[in-house]
Amino acid sequence: MANLAIDSIKERTFDAIVIGSGASGSWAAKEFTEKGLKTLLLERGRNVEHVKDYPTTNLYPYEFEHRLEMPYEDKQKNPIANRCYNYREDSKHFFVKDDEHPYIQVKDFDWIRGYQVGGKSLLWARQVQRWSDFDFEGPARDGFSVDWPIRYKDIAPWYSYVERFVGVSGNNDGIPELPDGEHLPAFPLNAVEDHFSKSVAKHYKNRHVISARCAHLSKPNPIHIEQGRVQCQNRVLCQRGCPFGGYYSANAVTIPWAQKTGNLTLRPHSVVHSILYDETKGKATGVKVIDANTKEEMEFFAKVIFVNASALNTNLILLNSISNRFPQGLGNDNGLMGKYVAFHNYTATIGAEYDGLLQYRTDGRNPAGGGYIPRFRNVYRQETDFLRGWAAGFGAGRAEIRDTSGVGSALKEGMLNAKLGTWRVHSHMMAETIPKEENFVSLDADQKDAWGIPLLRISIDYDENDRKMRQDYYEQMTEMYEKAGFTNIQTRDDNRRPGNDIHEMGGVRMGHDPKTSLLNKWHQLHACQNVFVTDGACMTSTSTQNPTLTYMAFTARAANYAIDEMKKGNL
């Protein structure tokens, strides 16, 4: 029996364990397996295989029961999920329904999750921008949050490493606050988007409207063909899963790449309860897992553990990893874990009309979504009464108008002969929020989920800085619209709740000092250095860029550091 027990432990022992199979977790798995490490990749949701498990990817609208609309019953049952712009009849199977993993909203918060192999990399907006030192140095300049322990030079080569592998389309625009990258050809702006770009360049010194940078293959390189991917087909049905691999997802790219090495063990339906800590060794030794279906408890062991469960679930797992040494959660000596959570503020939009350039129309679709306006407020100096700044998306298009006023043959003619309307332009704000101690997550003392894990309590909200920034967005965009000749300008607060931006960050922040942060410059827990966090939970501040590219670059850098430290016998 002793030999059987030893064999069982050996079968459950790996070189590395990665918790979470989304964009960042799959990158950790890729790096470890490529370097020869036997790696266990844990995913709490079901398996989703590339192409095979995209059931709606090639369906026409008329093949859906509700023609892509969500029925009233679903809206009543899943109000949180239904508030997400991507939750539709063709993609709902990739979302966590409201009753599947409940949480406690101390303040209104929409926690949007995707529990399956690949996570939300099947659903993301695929927008990718690098950070600059203006972003990394933000907290040090204005004194809010703690100083980042890294700078752009530390991560720049890893941005390039990731960009080359996943494929990023965009221009090199020469903007200091938005560094250039390793880009495939950009998806071009249309006539009115280009008009707005030129107008902004004419009237402002440090404002730019550029082609959005996105993780789509506009022109595949040999590495992408080797991955089994082909050029993006511009279908813009990305939320269904792309059978062409036209955009980056863990399912299409990093997980299959790791599987090819023969070093990956992928285990779906594995809910991580906690990380195991050995007080005599002063290290984490493995993870406790609960089978999502059978509720069976089991343990797996490894020298290194990467926690990439998505920001709030990473906080939950670490807070639930208690021991005599860490009664408040693994590595949580300073009591800051779960605090200083931040996100992106997407509450403001602005639309308008343009009656010029009517000789042009748009044909086809742009998977990049149009234009991007990098942050220009408070970059070189503090110039407003609010901290940090905002970026924005921008797009333009002409809708087809059908005359339905007639009867009989007149109605038929009106329906068959659509006319193009005027140009409509639209923009949405992407604003930084400031990490605050009062924005936090914690474990409920009494209520537990179906797997016996405490429910997460979420207390996160907007503040006065966010409201001032929204007003500035309205004012500055209105001025820019007017200078471009746009009319019928209309601003709108969409009343979006925190969380609906799907960019929650922090709670296990990086920093120099173990007294004021949880992670060091290599993403190791200060107090347990064989545990790494490289998803959104590690973020010290949020800046304005879409964060996934940064998570992937962080992960590649940290994984290679961990591999080197293992070779030296330090982990």
Side-chain angles (χ1 to χ4, degrees):
M1 293 296 291
N3 288 337
L4 288 175
I6 293 171
D7 289 343
S8 175
I9 291 174
K10 285 183 178 179
E11 290 174 359
R12 291 179 284 117
T13 299
F14 300 82
D15 297 315
I17 293 174
V18 180
I19 304 170
S21 66
S24 64
S26 66
W27 260 95
K30 168 194 172 294
E31 295 304 304
F32 286 137
T33 56
E34 275 190 316
K35 304 302 190 299
L37 275 65
K38 297 297 183 182
T39 304
L40 175 63
L41 181 58
L42 295 169
E43 167 56 50
R44 68 177 294 150
R46 64 188 175 93
N47 192 23
V48 172
E49 292 185 30
H50 180 50
V51 183
K52 175 176 174 283
D53 294 319
Y54 303 158
T56 64
T57 190
N58 288 321
L59 297 184
Y60 289 97
Y62 62 80
E63 295 181 272
F64 291 90
E65 181 181 1
H66 303 101
R67 304 298 188 269
L68 298 173
E69 296 294 329
M70 294 308 301
Y72 177 79
E73 180 182 1
D74 192 286
K75 292 180 179 180
Q76 294 298 110
K77 186 178 180 181
N78 300 295
I80 294 171
N82 271 279
R83 282 192 287 269
C84 179
Y85 76 99
N86 236 356
Y87 183 78
R88 307 191 320 175
E89 193 173 18
D90 61 351
S91 60
K92 64 179 182 178
H93 46 283
F94 291 143
F95 284 82
V96 173
K97 308 305 184 291
D98 290 12
D99 62 352
E100 290 177 347
H101 185 201
Y103 60 98
I104 298 169
Q105 300 182 58
V106 180
K107 297 178 181 178
D108 289 345
F109 188 90
D110 287 348
W111 191 10
I112 308 298
R113 291 152 290 169
Y115 291 166
Q116 63 262 325
V117 169
K120 296 194 295 291
S121 75
L122 288 166
L123 296 165
W124 66 313
R126 307 164 307 283
Q127 301 291 298
V128 284
Q129 310 96 18
R130 294 187 179 202
W131 279 38
S132 72
D133 275 335
F134 293 108
D135 306 299
F136 285 113
E137 294 174 359
R141 287 201 310 270
D142 59 35
F144 285 80
S145 188
V146 297
D147 183 28
W148 279 88
I150 60 173
R151 291 295 186 264
Y152 179 67
K153 63 180 175 59
D154 299 305
I155 197 69
W158 297 101
Y159 274 136
S160 295
Y161 179 70
V162 169
E163 288 165 343
R164 287 193 295 266
F165 192 78
V166 305
V168 172
S169 298
N171 292 315
N172 285 331
D173 301 287
I175 302 171
E177 56 269 32
L178 198 76
D180 293 334
E182 307 281 339
H183 292 155
L184 306 173
F187 291 93
L189 300 175
N190 66 33
V192 170
E193 292 163 355
D194 185 60
H195 162 74
F196 186 54
S197 177
K198 291 175 179 175
S199 172
V200 169
K202 176 183 177 182
H203 292 101
Y204 301 93
K205 181 180 179 181
N206 291 317
R207 302 188 188 188
H208 311 273
V209 181
I210 64 173
S211 291
R213 301 172 183 176
C214 65
H216 283 254
L217 300 182
S218 59
K219 185 179 179 182
N221 284 331
I223 184 62
H224 308 125
I225 303 301
E226 187 179 349
Q227 294 164 1
R229 304 165 66 197
V230 298
Q231 181 174 325
C232 173
Q233 304 297 297
N234 295 41
R235 302 192 316 158
V236 195
L237 299 174
C238 311
Q239 72 280 357
R240 300 181 182 186
C242 179
F244 304 96
Y247 71 85
Y248 168 80
S249 70
N251 310 70
V253 185
T254 30
I255 292 176
W257 195 266
Q259 288 173 321
K260 286 196 304 182
T261 68
N263 293 322
L264 182 70
T265 298
L266 173 62
R267 195 179 197 285
H269 303 295
S270 299
V271 179
V272 174
H273 174 278
S274 54
I275 295 172
L276 307 173
Y277 182 78
D278 188 316
E279 298 188 20
T280 59
K281 295 180 179 178
K283 294 181 179 180
T285 56
V287 298
K288 177 181 177 180
V289 168
I290 301 171
D291 187 284
N293 298 319
T294 68
K295 308 298 192 295
E296 176 189 1
E297 294 185 9
M298 61 203 80
E299 295 179 350
F300 297 93
F301 307 98
K303 296 178 181 177
V304 170
I305 299 166
F306 267 57
V307 192
N308 299 83
S310 83
L312 298 191
N313 268 320
T314 288
N315 276 271
L316 191 161
I317 290 168
L318 292 171
L319 286 167
N320 199 45
S321 300
I322 57 175
S323 61
N324 291 329
R325 169 66 181 84
F326 295 112
Q328 299 182 94
L330 182 64
N332 191 22
D333 286 338
N334 54 27
L336 295 180
M337 187 172 288
K339 299 178 181 178
Y340 297 97
V341 176
F343 54 99
H344 280 154
N345 178 0
Y346 274 57
T347 56
T349 65
I350 181 168
E353 295 178 352
Y354 184 56
D355 59 9
L357 297 173
L358 296 178
Q359 69 273 33
Y360 295 102
R361 57 170 294 161
T362 55
D363 287 312
R365 299 167 180 169
N366 183 350
Y372 178 78
I373 304 171
R375 170 189 167 191
F376 56 85
R377 298 301 250 172
N378 302 325
V379 176
Y380 294 92
R381 61 184 177 86
Q382 183 65 36
E383 58 182 326
T384 70
D385 64 347
F386 58 83
L387 293 171
R388 314 288 169 84
W390 50 267
F394 176 79
R398 298 183 71 183
E400 289 187 341
I401 299 173
R402 289 175 170 81
D403 183 2
T404 59
S405 62
V407 177
S409 61
L411 175 60
K412 179 180 177 181
E413 287 298 311
M415 293 294 289
L416 290 175
N417 296 287
K419 298 180 180 179
L420 284 172
T422 189
W423 286 92
R424 293 285 307 172
V425 301
H426 53 86
S427 172
H428 63 278
M429 177 182 75
M430 299 179 283
E432 180 169 4
T433 66
I434 305 301
K436 303 181 291 293
E437 188 171 9
E438 56 267 32
N439 276 355
F440 68 91
V441 297
S442 61
L443 302 185
D444 192 80
D446 303 309
Q447 300 183 67
K448 296 187 177 182
D449 63 22
W451 304 276
I453 299 171
L455 296 189
L456 193 67
R457 297 174 60 85
I458 302 177
S459 181
I460 297 171
D461 205 351
Y462 299 111
D463 65 10
E464 186 60 27
N465 196 71
D466 301 323
R467 287 181 277 274
K468 289 180 178 178
M469 206 176 304
R470 183 172 60 211
Q471 184 59 36
D472 185 71
Y473 166 81
Y474 289 147
E475 293 172 359
Q476 297 303 312
M477 288 299 298
T478 295
E479 179 183 288
M480 291 156 70
Y481 273 18
E482 289 173 343
K483 290 182 182 297
F486 299 160
T487 59
N488 192 22
I489 299 170
Q490 297 182 352
T491 61
R492 179 165 126 359
D493 178 353
D494 67 5
N495 297 310
R496 186 183 300 226
R497 291 152 49 119
N500 194 268
D501 51 278
I502 327 180
H503 288 173
E504 56 267 19
M505 301 179 228
V508 194
R509 69 185 182 184
M510 297 174 69
H512 299 280
D513 188 349
K515 294 179 181 178
T516 58
S517 62
L518 283 304
L519 304 171
N520 67 16
K521 66 179 181 179
W522 296 109
H523 296 262
Q524 298 165 285
L525 284 171
H526 287 301
C528 184
Q529 297 208 345
N530 68 329
V531 174
F532 293 72
V533 178
T534 60
D535 66 3
C538 77
M539 300 296 278
T540 303
S541 59
T542 74
S543 195
T544 59
Q545 291 90 322
N546 297 67
T548 303
L549 176 66
T550 298
Y551 301 162
M552 293 191 285
F554 280 170
T555 303
R557 174 178 178 267
N560 280 276
Y561 172 79
I563 292 165
D564 290 342
E565 289 296 290
M566 291 173 73
K567 290 178 181 177
K568 297 174 184 176
N570 294 335
L571 293 177

